[in-house]
Amino acid sequence: MRPVPPDKVARAVQITARYASVHGAPIHIGDPSKIGIKNLNKPDFGDPVTIKKGEIPVFWACGVTPQAVVVKAKPGVCITHTPAICSSPMSSMKNWLLINQTR
């Protein structure tokens, strides 16, 4: 989840939708309870993210959910990532910074 100012949500969707191989477009925008999240201050993975007044929570699919399955399945080998750390094209990072430059 990342908080996004309301006037930048549409642009965040447009930009991230281009990168389907690295999370892609958001899977949910707005009320966390609609997707089963009870408390944003106590995330299942990673650290809580501060939402400033007026910002909207925007949710992208993430690899940490399948990681829970991997832990339970205990395969011999697994390649994955840690929460909030991913590899993505630098252009993707540049676009994210452009969206959030006024935050």
Side-chain angles (χ1 to χ4, degrees):
M1 186 284 296
R2 293 288 176 254
V4 178
D7 64 324
K8 296 187 187 228
V9 170
R11 188 72 179 131
V13 172
Q14 291 170 342
I15 291 170
T16 59
R18 292 186 247 165
Y19 302 100
S21 64
V22 287
H23 298 103
I27 58 167
H28 180 71
I29 298 168
D31 184 357
S33 69
K34 299 288 184 189
I35 57 171
I37 297 172
K38 295 177 183 169
N39 187 346
L40 286 176
N41 292 319
K42 295 183 180 183
D44 292 337
F45 301 97
D47 297 321
V49 176
T50 301
I51 299 177
K52 296 176 185 173
K53 185 176 181 174
E55 291 181 322
I56 298 172
V58 181
F59 300 85
W60 280 265
C62 184
V64 295
T65 305
Q67 285 178 12
V69 174
V70 170
V71 168
K72 191 165 187 130
K74 299 180 180 158
V77 175
C78 178
I79 299 171
T80 186
H81 71 284
T82 59
I85 307 295
C86 67
S87 61
S88 61
M90 285 307 293
S91 60
S92 174
M93 297 302 294
K94 179 181 174 187
N95 286 333
W96 180 253
L97 291 171
L98 288 172
I99 292 169
N100 289 290
Q101 64 186 335
T102 61
R103 286 188 70 220

